């Protein structure tokens, strides 16, 4: 007979959880591995504006050491009067830049209706901060055969981010990358407040790869390289950084976009941190066996 005091077995851990005992998830994007032996830099413009812009950025960031190209074709903008993105035309420009450079591409999908179309062009589907809890979209992504980059909502807790990842994994797609991109606080000097501890906390709580977006986290290009170094130092599996050949002319997020020489400089300044990162991951792997 069931009594009120009867012990119940604890529920199994969520699929994202380190408590499953699962090895670190490695997300493969062509030949690039996220969550494996080195941090991966994803770079490109906030918005895809033209072929010249996206190609110039792709060639430059590749030369500087970026492994994946970012660029928004569907843009979630606060004002409906702001540039909304080139939509499918933007996806075509990204695909052309991929053919020209060999870089894999990551781009945002805003609606479950667009998942199949965006997946036809993109290697990784980005879910923006504003859509982190769009559960219909998350369930659709579970059925899609592309990796997902899930950004933390600007007012979401770490646990809520993980539960959103759980939706995608539980619906059939294990390839989820988490992204800390800053949260909203009372601070106004920076656009958002970078919760740098979230990177370390997530690395404890989940086997999924965790990356940092120092561009949206600060909103200021002068602060991006310092935060990028901090991200690598604290163990992020990668960075996603906004870069534009002429940030003063960018249609979105120009103030936080690095120009090409600044991106090169950032990549140079990251090199010793990347070496330390590799060493510590090797030590961790050795300790685990
Ligand atoms: C972006 O990556 O350009 C973007 C809109 O990011 P977020 O969803 O983090 O604001
Ligand atoms: Mn942006």
């Amino acid at each position: 007979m069931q009594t009120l005091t009867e012990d119940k077995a604890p529920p199994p851990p969520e699929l994202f959880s380190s408590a499953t005992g699962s090895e670190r998830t490695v997300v493969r994007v062509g030949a690039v591995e996220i969550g494996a032996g080195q941090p991966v830099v994803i770079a490109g413009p906030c918005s895809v504006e033209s072929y010249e812009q996206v190609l110039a950025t792709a060639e430059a960031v590749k030369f500087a050491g970026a492994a994946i190209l970012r660029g928004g074709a569907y843009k979630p903008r606060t004002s409906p009067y702001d540039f909304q993105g080139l939509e499918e035309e933007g996806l075509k420009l990204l695909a052309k830049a991929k053919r020209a450079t060999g870089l894999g591409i990551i781009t945002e999908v805003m609606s479950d209706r667009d998942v199949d179309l965006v997946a036809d062009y993109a290697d990784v589907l980005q879910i923006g901060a504003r859509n982190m809890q769009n559960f219909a979209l998350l369930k659709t992504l579970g059925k899609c055969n592309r990796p997902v980059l899930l950004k933390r909502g600007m007012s979401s807790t770490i646990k809520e981010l993980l539960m959103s990842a759980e939706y995608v994994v539980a619906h059939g797609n294990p390839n989820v990358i988490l992204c800390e991109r800053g949260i909203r606080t009372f601070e106004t000097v920076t656009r958002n407040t970078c919760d740098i501890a979230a990177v370390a906390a997530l690395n404890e709580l989940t086997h999924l790869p965790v990356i940092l977006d120092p561009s949206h986290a600060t909103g200021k290009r002068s602060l991006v390289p310092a935060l990028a170094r901090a991200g690598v130092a604290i163990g992020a599996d990668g960075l996603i950084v906004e870069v534009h050949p002429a940030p003063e002319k960018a249609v979105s997020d120009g103030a936080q976009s690095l120009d090409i020489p600044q991106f090169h400089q950032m990549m140079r300044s990251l090199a010793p941190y990347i070496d330390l990162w590799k060493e510590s991951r090797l030590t961790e792997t050795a300790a685990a066996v």
Side-chain angles (χ1 to χ4, degrees):
M1 194 182 74
Q2 190 138 352
T3 68
L4 285 175
T5 53
E6 193 174 35
D7 282 344
K8 288 216 184 81
E14 285 88 358
L15 299 166
F16 66 72
S17 174
S18 306
T20 57
S22 164
E23 303 211 325
R24 281 182 182 279
T25 294
V26 176
V27 175
R28 292 187 173 79
V29 182
V32 177
E33 294 185 330
I34 304 173
Q38 58 178 61
V40 167
V41 178
I42 302 164
C46 178
S47 297
V48 175
E49 299 168 11
S50 67
Y51 185 56
E52 294 65 37
Q53 173 240 17
V54 79
L55 182 70
T57 315
E59 284 176 336
V61 299
K62 181 182 178 185
F63 185 67
I68 298 176
L69 175 68
R70 66 148 284 151
Y74 293 83
K75 294 305 303 178
R77 303 306 300 280
T78 299
S79 166
Y81 307 114
D82 286 340
F83 178 67
Q84 302 286 305
L86 296 179
E87 302 187 341
E88 191 172 2
E89 182 53 29
L91 298 176
K92 290 187 173 148
L93 299 181
L94 283 168
K96 225 170 138 184
K98 174 182 172 166
R99 283 196 295 277
T101 60
L103 290 177
I105 54 184
I106 169 161
T107 195
E108 180 161 351
V109 58
M110 285 169 48
S111 159
D112 53 337
R113 291 187 307 271
D114 296 329
V115 167
D116 288 343
L117 174 73
V118 178
D120 277 347
Y121 294 93
D123 298 287
V124 181
L125 304 185
Q126 175 176 327
I127 305 310
R130 293 156 189 80
N131 261 322
M132 189 202 86
Q133 286 190 318
N134 179 338
F135 299 115
L137 178 56
L138 298 175
K139 287 179 192 176
T140 306
L141 292 162
K143 299 277 168 265
C144 151
N145 62 355
R146 290 272 182 269
V148 170
L149 173 69
L150 181 62
K151 297 187 93 178
R152 179 178 181 182
M154 59 185 90
S155 303
S156 298
T157 64
I158 292 171
K159 284 239 167 89
E160 287 165 342
L161 170 62
L162 287 167
M163 290 314 289
S164 288
E166 188 74 4
Y167 265 87
V168 181
V169 180
H171 281 82
N173 186 349
N175 294 309
V176 179
I177 306 155
L178 302 170
C179 180
E180 165 62 35
R181 47 75 76 204
I183 51 176
R184 189 166 279 187
T185 69
F186 51 80
E187 183 52 67
T188 55
V189 165
T190 47
R191 181 181 180 187
N192 291 291
T193 296
C194 180
D195 182 5
I196 193 76
V199 174
L202 286 165
N203 268 333
E204 267 186 13
L205 292 167
T206 179
H207 52 82
L208 298 172
V210 180
I211 73 167
L212 179 71
D213 175 345
S215 309
H216 292 86
T218 57
K220 284 192 176 153
R221 81 172 62 85
S222 65
L223 303 178
V224 168
L227 213 56
R229 292 193 292 275
V232 174
I234 206 165
D237 292 294
L239 301 167
I240 180 163
V241 182
E242 288 186 339
V243 180
H244 194 288
E248 66 292 350
K249 296 201 186 116
V251 299
S252 61
D253 288 350
Q256 67 194 35
S257 299
L258 301 179
D259 67 18
I260 284 159
Q262 287 162 345
F263 181 69
H264 271 263
Q265 177 58 33
M266 185 202 87
M267 292 297 278
R268 278 194 292 273
S269 82
L270 279 181
Y273 295 83
I274 291 180
D275 289 343
L276 288 170
W277 186 104
K278 287 188 195 161
E279 240 176 71
S280 67
R281 210 39 90 82
L282 270 180
T283 320
E284 177 196 296
T285 317
V289 289

